[in-house]
Short mmCIF file of all heavy atoms in Angstrom, two decimals:
data_model
loop_
_atom_site.label_atom_id
_atom_site.label_comp_id
_atom_site.label_asym_id
_atom_site.label_seq_id
_atom_site.Cartn_x
_atom_site.Cartn_y
_atom_site.Cartn_z
N LEU A 652 70.47 -68.18 -157.90
CA LEU A 652 71.39 -68.79 -156.93
C LEU A 652 70.66 -69.68 -155.94
O LEU A 652 71.22 -70.64 -155.42
CB LEU A 652 72.14 -67.67 -156.19
CG LEU A 652 73.20 -68.11 -155.18
CD1 LEU A 652 74.33 -68.85 -155.89
CD2 LEU A 652 73.76 -66.91 -154.43
N ASP A 653 69.38 -69.37 -155.70
CA ASP A 653 68.62 -70.12 -154.71
C ASP A 653 67.86 -71.31 -155.29
O ASP A 653 67.15 -72.01 -154.57
CB ASP A 653 67.62 -69.19 -154.01
CG ASP A 653 68.33 -68.08 -153.25
OD1 ASP A 653 69.36 -68.37 -152.63
OD2 ASP A 653 67.87 -66.93 -153.31
N ASN A 654 67.97 -71.53 -156.60
CA ASN A 654 67.27 -72.64 -157.24
C ASN A 654 68.25 -73.38 -158.14
O ASN A 654 68.54 -72.93 -159.24
CB ASN A 654 66.08 -72.13 -158.05
CG ASN A 654 65.25 -73.26 -158.64
OD1 ASN A 654 65.63 -74.44 -158.58
ND2 ASN A 654 64.12 -72.93 -159.23
N GLU A 655 68.75 -74.50 -157.66
CA GLU A 655 69.76 -75.25 -158.41
C GLU A 655 69.15 -76.43 -159.17
O GLU A 655 69.85 -77.33 -159.60
CB GLU A 655 70.85 -75.75 -157.46
CG GLU A 655 71.59 -74.61 -156.76
CD GLU A 655 72.70 -75.10 -155.86
OE1 GLU A 655 72.74 -76.31 -155.57
OE2 GLU A 655 73.53 -74.27 -155.45
N SER A 656 67.84 -76.39 -159.38
CA SER A 656 67.17 -77.50 -160.07
C SER A 656 67.33 -77.42 -161.58
O SER A 656 67.02 -78.37 -162.29
CB SER A 656 65.68 -77.52 -159.72
OG SER A 656 65.03 -76.34 -160.20
N HIS A 657 67.79 -76.29 -162.08
CA HIS A 657 67.96 -76.14 -163.53
C HIS A 657 69.15 -75.22 -163.79
O HIS A 657 69.51 -74.40 -162.95
CB HIS A 657 66.70 -75.56 -164.17
CG HIS A 657 66.26 -74.25 -163.57
ND1 HIS A 657 66.93 -73.06 -163.78
CD2 HIS A 657 65.23 -73.94 -162.76
CE1 HIS A 657 66.33 -72.09 -163.14
NE2 HIS A 657 65.30 -72.60 -162.49
N PRO A 658 69.77 -75.34 -164.98
CA PRO A 658 70.85 -74.41 -165.31
C PRO A 658 70.26 -73.02 -165.57
O PRO A 658 69.09 -72.88 -165.89
CB PRO A 658 71.46 -75.00 -166.58
CG PRO A 658 70.34 -75.78 -167.19
CD PRO A 658 69.53 -76.31 -166.05
N GLY A 659 71.06 -72.02 -165.44
CA GLY A 659 70.58 -70.65 -165.66
C GLY A 659 71.47 -69.90 -166.63
O GLY A 659 72.59 -70.30 -166.92
N GLN A 660 70.94 -68.80 -167.13
CA GLN A 660 71.64 -67.94 -168.06
C GLN A 660 71.77 -66.56 -167.46
O GLN A 660 71.11 -66.21 -166.49
CB GLN A 660 70.83 -67.84 -169.37
CG GLN A 660 71.03 -69.03 -170.30
CD GLN A 660 72.11 -68.77 -171.32
OE1 GLN A 660 72.97 -67.90 -171.12
NE2 GLN A 660 72.09 -69.50 -172.41
N ARG A 661 72.62 -65.75 -168.09
CA ARG A 661 72.61 -64.33 -167.78
C ARG A 661 71.27 -63.75 -168.23
O ARG A 661 70.55 -64.37 -169.01
CB ARG A 661 73.73 -63.61 -168.51
CG ARG A 661 73.57 -63.61 -170.02
CD ARG A 661 74.67 -62.80 -170.71
NE ARG A 661 75.38 -63.62 -171.67
CZ ARG A 661 76.68 -63.51 -171.91
NH1 ARG A 661 77.39 -62.63 -171.27
NH2 ARG A 661 77.27 -64.29 -172.77
N GLY A 662 70.90 -62.59 -167.77
CA GLY A 662 69.69 -61.95 -168.27
C GLY A 662 69.83 -61.61 -169.74
O GLY A 662 70.94 -61.51 -170.27
N VAL A 663 68.71 -61.44 -170.42
CA VAL A 663 68.74 -61.08 -171.84
C VAL A 663 68.99 -59.58 -171.96
O VAL A 663 68.27 -58.77 -171.36
CB VAL A 663 67.42 -61.46 -172.53
CG1 VAL A 663 67.40 -60.95 -173.96
CG2 VAL A 663 67.23 -62.97 -172.51
N TYR A 664 70.01 -59.22 -172.73
CA TYR A 664 70.36 -57.83 -172.95
C TYR A 664 69.75 -57.38 -174.28
O TYR A 664 70.16 -57.84 -175.36
CB TYR A 664 71.87 -57.64 -172.97
CG TYR A 664 72.53 -57.89 -171.64
CD1 TYR A 664 72.82 -59.19 -171.21
CD2 TYR A 664 72.85 -56.83 -170.79
CE1 TYR A 664 73.42 -59.42 -169.98
CE2 TYR A 664 73.46 -57.06 -169.56
CZ TYR A 664 73.73 -58.35 -169.17
OH TYR A 664 74.33 -58.58 -167.95
N GLU A 665 68.78 -56.48 -174.19
CA GLU A 665 68.05 -56.06 -175.38
C GLU A 665 68.97 -55.42 -176.42
O GLU A 665 68.81 -55.64 -177.63
CB GLU A 665 66.94 -55.08 -174.98
CG GLU A 665 66.04 -54.64 -176.12
CD GLU A 665 65.29 -55.80 -176.77
OE1 GLU A 665 65.07 -56.83 -176.09
OE2 GLU A 665 64.96 -55.68 -177.97
N ASP A 666 69.93 -54.64 -175.98
CA ASP A 666 70.86 -54.01 -176.94
C ASP A 666 71.63 -55.05 -177.74
O ASP A 666 71.88 -54.88 -178.93
CB ASP A 666 71.85 -53.10 -176.20
CG ASP A 666 71.19 -51.83 -175.67
OD1 ASP A 666 70.06 -51.54 -176.10
OD2 ASP A 666 71.81 -51.15 -174.84
N GLN A 667 72.01 -56.14 -177.07
CA GLN A 667 72.73 -57.21 -177.75
C GLN A 667 71.85 -57.90 -178.78
O GLN A 667 72.28 -58.21 -179.89
CB GLN A 667 73.23 -58.22 -176.71
CG GLN A 667 74.03 -59.38 -177.27
CD GLN A 667 75.43 -58.99 -177.71
OE1 GLN A 667 75.79 -57.82 -177.65
NE2 GLN A 667 76.19 -59.95 -178.16
N VAL A 668 70.58 -58.14 -178.44
CA VAL A 668 69.64 -58.76 -179.37
C VAL A 668 69.48 -57.88 -180.60
O VAL A 668 69.51 -58.35 -181.75
CB VAL A 668 68.28 -59.01 -178.70
CG1 VAL A 668 67.25 -59.49 -179.73
CG2 VAL A 668 68.42 -60.05 -177.59
N LYS A 669 69.29 -56.59 -180.39
CA LYS A 669 69.09 -55.66 -181.51
C LYS A 669 70.32 -55.61 -182.42
O LYS A 669 70.19 -55.56 -183.65
CB LYS A 669 68.78 -54.26 -180.98
CG LYS A 669 67.40 -54.14 -180.34
CD LYS A 669 67.18 -52.72 -179.82
CE LYS A 669 65.78 -52.58 -179.23
NZ LYS A 669 65.56 -51.22 -178.67
N LYS A 670 71.50 -55.64 -181.81
CA LYS A 670 72.74 -55.59 -182.59
C LYS A 670 72.87 -56.82 -183.49
O LYS A 670 73.22 -56.73 -184.67
CB LYS A 670 73.94 -55.49 -181.64
CG LYS A 670 75.28 -55.43 -182.34
CD LYS A 670 76.40 -55.30 -181.30
CE LYS A 670 77.77 -55.28 -181.97
NZ LYS A 670 78.86 -55.20 -180.96
N ILE A 671 72.57 -58.00 -182.93
CA ILE A 671 72.66 -59.24 -183.72
C ILE A 671 71.59 -59.26 -184.80
O ILE A 671 71.85 -59.64 -185.95
CB ILE A 671 72.54 -60.47 -182.80
CG1 ILE A 671 73.69 -60.50 -181.80
CG2 ILE A 671 72.52 -61.77 -183.62
CD1 ILE A 671 73.53 -61.55 -180.71
N ALA A 672 70.37 -58.83 -184.45
CA ALA A 672 69.29 -58.80 -185.43
C ALA A 672 69.63 -57.91 -186.60
O ALA A 672 69.37 -58.25 -187.77
CB ALA A 672 67.99 -58.34 -184.76
N GLU A 673 70.23 -56.77 -186.31
CA GLU A 673 70.63 -55.86 -187.40
C GLU A 673 71.69 -56.50 -188.28
O GLU A 673 71.69 -56.36 -189.50
CB GLU A 673 71.16 -54.55 -186.80
CG GLU A 673 71.58 -53.49 -187.81
CD GLU A 673 70.42 -52.96 -188.64
OE1 GLU A 673 69.25 -53.25 -188.31
OE2 GLU A 673 70.69 -52.27 -189.64
N GLY A 674 72.60 -57.25 -187.65
CA GLY A 674 73.62 -57.95 -188.44
C GLY A 674 73.01 -59.00 -189.35
O GLY A 674 73.42 -59.14 -190.51
N ILE A 675 72.04 -59.76 -188.86
CA ILE A 675 71.36 -60.76 -189.69
C ILE A 675 70.62 -60.09 -190.84
O ILE A 675 70.67 -60.54 -191.99
CB ILE A 675 70.36 -61.58 -188.84
CG1 ILE A 675 71.12 -62.38 -187.76
CG2 ILE A 675 69.54 -62.52 -189.72
CD1 ILE A 675 70.20 -63.04 -186.74
N ARG A 676 69.97 -58.99 -190.54
CA ARG A 676 69.12 -58.33 -191.53
C ARG A 676 69.92 -57.68 -192.64
O ARG A 676 69.45 -57.57 -193.78
CB ARG A 676 68.26 -57.26 -190.82
CG ARG A 676 67.12 -56.72 -191.66
CD ARG A 676 66.38 -55.63 -190.92
NE ARG A 676 67.21 -54.48 -190.68
CZ ARG A 676 67.49 -53.55 -191.61
NH1 ARG A 676 67.00 -53.66 -192.83
NH2 ARG A 676 68.27 -52.53 -191.31
N THR A 677 71.16 -57.25 -192.34
CA THR A 677 71.93 -56.48 -193.33
C THR A 677 73.06 -57.27 -193.97
O THR A 677 73.70 -56.77 -194.90
CB THR A 677 72.53 -55.23 -192.66
OG1 THR A 677 73.37 -55.62 -191.56
CG2 THR A 677 71.42 -54.32 -192.15
N SER A 678 73.32 -58.49 -193.51
CA SER A 678 74.47 -59.23 -194.02
C SER A 678 74.10 -60.16 -195.17
O SER A 678 73.03 -60.78 -195.17
CB SER A 678 75.10 -60.05 -192.90
OG SER A 678 76.18 -60.82 -193.38
N THR A 679 75.00 -60.28 -196.13
CA THR A 679 74.84 -61.27 -197.19
C THR A 679 75.42 -62.62 -196.76
O THR A 679 75.31 -63.60 -197.48
CB THR A 679 75.54 -60.81 -198.48
OG1 THR A 679 76.94 -60.62 -198.20
CG2 THR A 679 74.96 -59.49 -198.99
N ARG A 680 76.02 -62.64 -195.61
CA ARG A 680 76.59 -63.87 -195.04
C ARG A 680 76.19 -63.97 -193.57
O ARG A 680 77.00 -63.76 -192.67
CB ARG A 680 78.12 -63.86 -195.18
CG ARG A 680 78.59 -63.89 -196.63
CD ARG A 680 80.09 -63.64 -196.73
NE ARG A 680 80.58 -63.81 -198.08
CZ ARG A 680 80.48 -62.90 -199.03
NH1 ARG A 680 79.89 -61.74 -198.78
NH2 ARG A 680 80.96 -63.13 -200.25
N PRO A 681 74.94 -64.28 -193.29
CA PRO A 681 74.43 -64.28 -191.91
C PRO A 681 74.90 -65.50 -191.12
O PRO A 681 74.15 -66.43 -190.85
CB PRO A 681 72.92 -64.28 -192.10
CG PRO A 681 72.71 -64.99 -193.40
CD PRO A 681 73.88 -64.60 -194.27
N TYR A 682 76.17 -65.47 -190.74
CA TYR A 682 76.76 -66.59 -190.00
C TYR A 682 76.61 -66.33 -188.51
O TYR A 682 77.02 -65.29 -187.99
CB TYR A 682 78.24 -66.73 -190.36
CG TYR A 682 78.95 -67.81 -189.58
CD1 TYR A 682 78.62 -69.15 -189.78
CD2 TYR A 682 79.92 -67.49 -188.64
CE1 TYR A 682 79.25 -70.15 -189.05
CE2 TYR A 682 80.55 -68.48 -187.92
CZ TYR A 682 80.22 -69.80 -188.13
OH TYR A 682 80.85 -70.79 -187.41
N LEU A 683 76.02 -67.26 -187.79
CA LEU A 683 75.75 -67.08 -186.37
C LEU A 683 76.67 -67.89 -185.46
O LEU A 683 76.57 -67.79 -184.24
CB LEU A 683 74.29 -67.48 -186.06
CG LEU A 683 73.20 -66.60 -186.65
CD1 LEU A 683 71.84 -67.07 -186.18
CD2 LEU A 683 73.41 -65.15 -186.26
N GLY A 684 77.56 -68.69 -186.04
CA GLY A 684 78.37 -69.53 -185.19
C GLY A 684 77.57 -70.72 -184.70
O GLY A 684 76.44 -70.96 -185.13
N THR A 685 78.13 -71.47 -183.77
CA THR A 685 77.47 -72.67 -183.26
C THR A 685 76.59 -72.34 -182.06
O THR A 685 77.04 -71.70 -181.12
CB THR A 685 78.51 -73.72 -182.85
OG1 THR A 685 79.33 -74.05 -183.98
CG2 THR A 685 77.84 -74.99 -182.34
N LEU A 686 75.34 -72.77 -182.13
CA LEU A 686 74.43 -72.64 -180.99
C LEU A 686 74.52 -73.92 -180.17
O LEU A 686 74.50 -75.03 -180.72
CB LEU A 686 73.00 -72.42 -181.46
CG LEU A 686 72.76 -71.22 -182.39
CD1 LEU A 686 71.28 -71.09 -182.71
CD2 LEU A 686 73.25 -69.94 -181.74
N VAL A 687 74.61 -73.79 -178.87
CA VAL A 687 74.81 -74.93 -178.00
C VAL A 687 73.62 -75.07 -177.06
O VAL A 687 73.20 -74.11 -176.43
CB VAL A 687 76.11 -74.80 -177.17
CG1 VAL A 687 76.34 -76.05 -176.34
CG2 VAL A 687 77.30 -74.54 -178.09
N VAL A 688 73.08 -76.28 -177.02
CA VAL A 688 71.97 -76.59 -176.11
C VAL A 688 72.37 -77.80 -175.28
O VAL A 688 73.33 -78.50 -175.60
CB VAL A 688 70.66 -76.87 -176.89
CG1 VAL A 688 70.24 -75.65 -177.69
CG2 VAL A 688 70.81 -78.08 -177.80
N GLY A 689 71.65 -78.03 -174.21
CA GLY A 689 71.98 -79.15 -173.34
C GLY A 689 70.73 -79.89 -172.90
O GLY A 689 69.68 -79.28 -172.68
#
Side-chain angles (χ1 to χ4, degrees):
L652 183 64
D653 298 319
N654 185 352
E655 298 182 346
S656 64
H657 56 72
Q660 279 266 21
R661 66 176 123 216
V663 174
Y664 293 81
E665 184 61 26
D666 289 346
Q667 181 74 357
V668 173
K669 289 179 178 178
K670 180 179 178 181
I671 298 171
E673 181 65 11
I675 296 171
R676 193 183 64 79
T677 58
S678 177
T679 60
R680 295 170 174 81
Y682 177 67
L683 293 183
T685 301
L686 303 183
V687 184
V688 299

